[in-house]
Amino acid sequence: MTRIIPILIYLVLAPIIGGLLDGIDRKISARMQGRIGPPLLQPFYDVKKLLHKQKISVNKSQSFLILCFCITQIFTGCLFYAGSDILFCFFILSTGATFLVFASAITSSPYSTMGASRELFQMMVYEPAVLLACVGLYLATGTFNVNEMIQKHVSAVLFLPGFFVAYVFILTIKMRKSPFDFSTSHHPHQELVKGVTTEMGATNLAIYSITEWYENVFLLGVVGIFIVNENPLSYLFAVIVILAVCFLETLIDNTCARVKWNTMLKSTWLVTLLAAGVNLMVLMLGR
Amino acid sequence: MVPFLICFPLFVALLMYVIKVNKIRNIIAYISAAVVMVAVLIMSVLWVMDGCNAILLYYETEIVDKVILSVELLLMVIVVYLCFKYKKYIISLLTIIPTLLIAYVEIWGPKRDMINHIRIDYLSILMCIIIGIIGGLIIIYAVGYMHGYHHHHIEIEDRRNYFFMLLFIFLGAMFGFVLSSSLLWIDLFWETTSICSFLLIGYTRTDEAIQNSFRALWMNLLGGTALALGIVYQIYEMNNDSLQYLVGMGSWGFSSAVIPVALIAFAALTKSAQMPFSKWLLGAMVAPTPSSALLHSATMVKAGIYILFRLAPAMTNTVTGNMISFIGGFTFFVASLIAIAQSDGKKVLAFSTISNLGLMVACAGVGESETLWAGIFLMIFHAVSKSLLFQDIGATENAMHSRDIEDMHGLLYRLPRLGAFMFIGIAGMFLAPFGMLISKWSALKACVDDNNIVMVLLIVFGSATTMFYWTKWMAKLISATNEPKIKDITKKNELISLSIHAILMILLCISFPILSKVYVVPLLKEMYGSYVTVLSMSMLYTLVIIICFIFAIPSITFGYTRKLHENKKLAYMSGINEGDNSSFTDAFGEAKKLQMSNWYFKDFIGQRKLMIPSEIFATVLLIVMLSIILGGALL
């Protein structure tokens, strides 16, 4: 029973929180650019409209693959908030991400295919940092189990500053923010048009957006794991940190231009090695 | 049962060579392959009914020992003859020295204690099943494939009798290899497999084939030399040649075991094509597909892995273990990087084999029971899926005359059966939550517990690159296409082999928790005395449920999307789509064909760029580590 309640809460609240965060992000971005920006609830309006549109697609199988993507991503979140093994969560997450790649590649549309291979490339770039974050959490707390991780005396982040930096760094890739908005972009007037989402229309795009919200809530939840400990106050602190990270992402998004693939690879792997790798070394030698 | 398993293939090999009529030979090949498979199964069943205890056999074997010695000398003569024929004189030294050394020790050396020469236990039964089933299926496949092969390649002399002879000798030698407990016997079978692979690679007798075959020969013989030296050292130090005894001594930490373990482990590195000895396996690509499938998946390379698994308890927390695990992890990462830059399907498979073997080697080198659990699962999954993929690529090449991944755009629609098999094979290799992933997961956990920083980093980065090259291949397979269907000329026997492989693959994915419980865990208990699970059973069952769930989604949503009424629209091309999604109107108003290609980063991580530096690095590392180990033990 104790496991079902968090899952239900996640299922109901995650899209709402994810959508709101998206709305806040748009609002703040607009203000940074000197615009008023859309209303806070605009993401929900968008999805609602998409759901009511005529169903169109380039390839029928695409809808199926996007559904698979959606289900696996939500499933990952459920596993995570039910307090299961964190490494397991990320493995399922990457399975889900391959479904997205398939969904874009199956259309054989040029921009969509380009987005797909870029998405795949991104996965390769961020995966080491993600896995290392799990390893780091294990070293700090002695368990891979999320439920047990959050019942320690002190926050894991105290032992894992490097892992935390690396994780936040790749969060930019994972949340598709500039300078690493590499597989899809906010504006279609660019070299990759809309990347992976180029050929997604109506319902499919709506499902994609909702999945993104679920995914973001999961990813930010992992940020929370770094902070939370047995003290109830730490939850409040975790929320503050998560909001700060979100703001940081928005800020980076608005101040950086997209980089080339090799810059992304080199910088990310360098940060992963230097921050997480060194931290790993310190932890392991200190054991 | 044991002598039958070893001798029957050898006897069939003789038949294969003698019978010149293709049809009769093919029938005999089918029957013998089936007999081998049945024999393996009978042996396993008998062993299980006996209570799964390790069975030791052949205490007194004076006559057999003599036979073995003379066969070894005969092999030496053959190799020397071939070396002189092709003017590769130096290589002949690599067979003369160890063989004469062994012969000298056997005849004039110290008196050896009596030991059991054959040992049947969990690990050897597992190997027998892999070799028997996969090897047998490959032979069935080979009958059809070689027919088509000689149909297309008229320029190559038809020596099928010779080819099948080699395949069967190979099987016999592999059975002997995994069942023997005496290192002197192991050495003979080791040399036999080396020489068989050498002859198989050189089958076409083109210049390239001959060159590659000699490369394979010298690398494997170098390993054989190290093996012989290790054996001789052991005989002088311990007065016996029992592998079990050596491992026992090694795991108790006796210093006399250090040198033999290090030398045998080094030999295993050459056999399983680790850096810097990877090139021979790449060169093996020139051989006809069945032989590459046999070399890569079920037999040859697994021999090295097998011996490392045997030695694993003796390598826990030793310098040798560190050397092996580091070389393995390094190979895992570098080979997967290079695999990204390959577009030739067979080459991707070759590099991925090397890379996966690297992970297995690393698991053995760390030497904990948890990593060995991962290693054994990797081996099982790898054997089935690689064999499937190689055969599939061979059949695909026969049908569409290309094995380039770029040409496989939409293969699932153009060659549905072969495309689907390929998809299953690749999924089994890496896609979560299938086989490979579980092993990687468990290896990662074990290495973290072991405080092995370098291995953790290598696994983490290597798994990212592995995912990249597999997924981009899969994405290519499923891409929509307007190209016409290709005529599927796959023979029935090829299809039988492929289907059985695919079914095995799926069964493995579904039943691995049971396999772990009833087989792999007892195996580890036998080797280590105890075993602590890394992944709890409940976790494994969850994984299986997810697998079923992932298999279920397609059927459910497929039905759903079928009913779905969607308006088809054309793909966006940033210009006018010509209406068929495969060409657009260009600036001159003409239709231009659309070309889509995967990413390869050839200038960034290509074979040319990475291969030589990493070979040099691995060589230096090996020499330094070996000097430390040998010097430390001798002084």
Side-chain angles (χ1 to χ4, degrees), chain B residues 270-410:
Chain B
T270 65
K271 200 94 183 170
S272 48
Q274 295 303 292
M275 292 279 174
F277 305 110
S278 303
K279 269 216 178 108
W280 76 261
L281 197 60
L282 301 171
M285 296 285 90
V286 296
T289 296
S291 48
S292 8
L294 200 61
L295 290 180
H296 276 259
S297 58
T299 56
M300 187 74 173
V301 291
K302 294 289 186 298
I305 302 294
Y306 162 78
I307 206 92
L308 281 176
F309 282 175
R310 279 266 184 237
L311 289 178
M315 293 197 291
T316 324
N317 289 327
T318 61
V319 187
T320 314
N322 285 342
M323 170 181 88
I324 297 295
S325 67
F326 189 72
I327 292 277
F330 178 71
T331 311
F332 170 56
F333 178 56
V334 172
S336 64
L337 264 187
I338 301 178
I340 292 177
Q342 308 301 321
S343 68
D344 178 342
K346 249 183 153 183
K347 271 213 164 144
V348 175
L349 291 186
F351 276 109
S352 80
T353 304
I354 295 172
S355 158
N356 290 327
L357 289 173
L359 192 52
M360 290 177 227
V361 167
C363 286
V366 174
E368 302 289 343
S369 53
E370 295 90 341
T371 51
L372 217 60
W373 183 90
I376 286 169
F377 266 103
L378 270 175
M379 184 174 75
I380 301 172
F381 277 104
H382 180 260
V384 178
S385 77
K386 264 299 150 53
S387 173
L388 171 63
L389 283 172
F390 262 107
Q391 298 181 19
D392 197 77
I393 274 237
T396 311
E397 193 184 358
N398 274 351
M400 71 173 195
H401 307 292
S402 164
R403 58 183 194 217
D404 199 298
I405 295 177
E406 290 302 309
D407 295 331
M408 292 182 191
H409 192 94

Side-chain angles (χ1 to χ4, degrees), chain A residues 54-60 63-64 67-68 71 75 85 87-88 91-92 95 98 102 105-106 108-111 113 117-118 120-121 123-124 127-128 131-132 135 138-139 144 182 193 199 261 265-266 269 273 280-281 284 287, chain B residues 340 409 413 431-432 437 441 445 448-449 451 453 456-457 460-461 463-465 467-468 471-472 474-475 478-480 539 543 546 549 553-554 557 560-562 564-569 571-574 581 594 596 599 601 604:
Chain A
Q54 184 195 24
K55 291 188 173 70
I56 46 170
S57 71
V58 175
N59 190 316
K60 269 195 177 178
S63 320
F64 145 61
L67 263 181
C68 288
I71 294 170
F75 186 73
D85 187 300
L87 208 47
F88 189 37
F91 279 134
I92 305 292
T95 310
T98 46
F102 292 160
I106 202 166
S108 273
S109 141
Y111 294 100
T113 307
S117 40
R118 286 184 174 196
L120 198 52
F121 182 74
M123 282 164 70
M124 179 174 86
E127 181 142 314
L131 291 182
L132 279 178
V135 171
Y138 173 71
L139 286 173
F144 278 110
F182 199 54
V193 189
E199 301 299 347
W261 64 267
L265 177 73
K266 281 175 192 160
W269 279 18
L273 269 181
L280 178 78
M281 220 175 278
M284 278 197 163
R287 268 216 292 187
Chain B
I340 292 177
H409 192 94
Y413 318 105
L431 194 64
L437 177 114
W441 183 8
K445 280 190 173 177
V448 173
D449 287 332
N451 264 346
I453 303 167
V456 169
L457 288 178
V460 159
F461 280 90
S463 80
T465 44
M467 177 213 64
F468 186 69
T471 314
K472 78 179 182 187
M474 282 175 114
I478 60 167
S479 297
M539 201 98 86
L543 268 176
I546 294 168
F549 161 80
I553 310 178
T557 28
Y560 163 74
T561 41
R562 260 222 165 134
L564 207 64
H565 280 286
E566 284 178 337
N567 282 344
K568 267 263 199 186
K569 87 180 160 78
Y572 176 74
M573 292 197 180
S574 190
N581 274 341
L594 189 69
M596 268 176 291
W599 252 354
F601 315 112
F604 199 53

Side-chain angles (χ1 to χ4, degrees), chain A residues 101-212:
Chain A
V101 173
F102 292 160
S104 322
I106 202 166
T107 55
S108 273
S109 141
Y111 294 100
S112 187
T113 307
M114 187 163 78
S117 40
R118 286 184 174 196
E119 173 73 23
L120 198 52
F121 182 74
Q122 277 185 188
M123 282 164 70
M124 179 174 86
V125 171
Y126 67 66
E127 181 142 314
V130 165
L131 291 182
L132 279 178
C134 302
V135 171
L137 284 168
Y138 173 71
L139 286 173
T141 60
T143 171
F144 278 110
N145 210 304
V146 175
N147 254 350
E148 292 164 23
M149 270 179 198
I150 55 174
Q151 285 160 2
K152 299 290 161 190
H153 293 301
V154 281
S155 300
V157 72
L158 296 179
F159 303 100
L160 311 169
F163 290 99
F164 188 71
V165 169
Y167 183 75
V168 171
F169 193 89
I170 61 105
L171 217 51
T172 317
I173 307 179
K174 218 43 210 137
M175 293 170 93
R176 305 175 202 293
K177 299 286 191 196
S178 180
F180 301 139
D181 56 339
F182 199 54
S183 64
T184 178
S185 61
H186 303 304
H187 312 288
H189 312 294
Q190 295 175 354
E191 93 283 7
L192 79 162
V193 189
K194 289 283 275 178
V196 276
T197 52
T198 305
E199 301 299 347
M200 292 179 194
T203 330
N204 285 344
L205 194 57
I207 295 176
Y208 171 81
S209 314
I210 295 172
T211 314
E212 288 266 88

Side-chain angles (χ1 to χ4, degrees), chain B residues 494-524:
Chain B
E494 293 176 79
L495 270 183
I496 291 173
S497 173
L498 284 169
S499 321
I500 297 179
H501 271 101
I503 293 167
L504 269 179
M505 189 80 249
I506 294 172
L507 279 182
L508 269 181
C509 288
I510 298 176
S511 66
F512 72 90
I514 301 163
L515 194 65
S516 162
K517 196 174 175 184
V518 301
Y519 202 95
V520 180
V521 171
L523 187 160
L524 292 167

Side-chain angles (χ1 to χ4, degrees), chain B residues 92-325:
Chain B
S92 64
L93 280 182
L94 284 176
T95 173
I96 295 173
I97 296 173
T99 316
L100 292 184
L101 194 63
I102 292 269
Y104 170 81
V105 173
E106 243 180 274
I107 300 170
W108 293 289
K111 189 160 166 35
R112 279 166 286 137
D113 300 339
M114 300 288 254
I115 56 158
N116 294 298
H117 288 73
I118 295 282
R119 182 188 163 97
I120 306 175
D121 59 6
Y122 278 99
L123 189 54
S124 45
I125 286 281
L126 175 67
M127 290 303 293
C128 281
I129 293 174
I130 292 179
I131 297 161
I133 304 288
I134 308 283
L137 287 175
I138 289 175
I139 285 177
I140 292 174
Y141 168 88
V143 173
Y145 180 87
M146 288 312 282
H147 183 75
Y149 183 80
H150 280 293
H151 202 70
H152 290 298
H153 301 268
I154 314 161
E155 75 283 358
I156 294 164
E157 189 192 344
D158 188 347
R159 293 188 292 157
R160 261 180 274 174
N161 55 343
Y162 172 74
F163 187 79
F164 282 99
M165 174 186 83
L166 288 177
L167 290 187
F168 274 101
I169 294 180
F170 215 124
L171 279 192
M174 278 306 294
F175 282 128
F177 184 81
V178 297
L179 289 168
S180 301
S181 157
S182 149
L183 279 167
L184 285 172
W185 288 26
I186 286 182
D187 184 59
L188 166 80
F189 294 120
W190 178 285
E191 297 285 309
T192 317
T193 53
S194 296
I195 291 162
C196 275
S197 71
F198 155 65
L199 296 174
L200 277 175
I201 297 171
Y203 175 72
T204 54
R205 280 190 183 153
T206 55
D207 287 341
E208 193 195 4
I210 287 171
Q211 202 197 339
N212 288 348
S213 66
F214 273 100
R215 189 191 294 133
L217 186 68
W218 81 254
M219 283 181 175
N220 278 310
L221 286 182
L222 184 69
T225 312
L227 179 67
L229 286 176
I231 297 170
V232 170
Y233 185 89
Q234 191 195 347
I235 291 177
Y236 275 102
E237 278 286 320
M238 305 178 188
N239 282 327
N240 69 48
D241 62 327
S242 162
L243 179 59
Q244 259 64 42
Y245 187 78
L246 175 67
V247 174
M249 294 291 274
S251 45
W252 283 103
F254 282 94
S255 56
S256 57
V258 171
I259 290 184
V261 168
L263 285 172
I264 297 173
F266 170 82
L269 285 186
T270 65
K271 200 94 183 170
S272 48
Q274 295 303 292
M275 292 279 174
F277 305 110
S278 303
K279 269 216 178 108
W280 76 261
L281 197 60
L282 301 171
M285 296 285 90
V286 296
T289 296
S291 48
S292 8
L294 200 61
L295 290 180
H296 276 259
S297 58
T299 56
M300 187 74 173
V301 291
K302 294 289 186 298
I305 302 294
Y306 162 78
I307 206 92
L308 281 176
F309 282 175
R310 279 266 184 237
L311 289 178
M315 293 197 291
T316 324
N317 289 327
T318 61
V319 187
T320 314
N322 285 342
M323 170 181 88
I324 297 295
S325 67

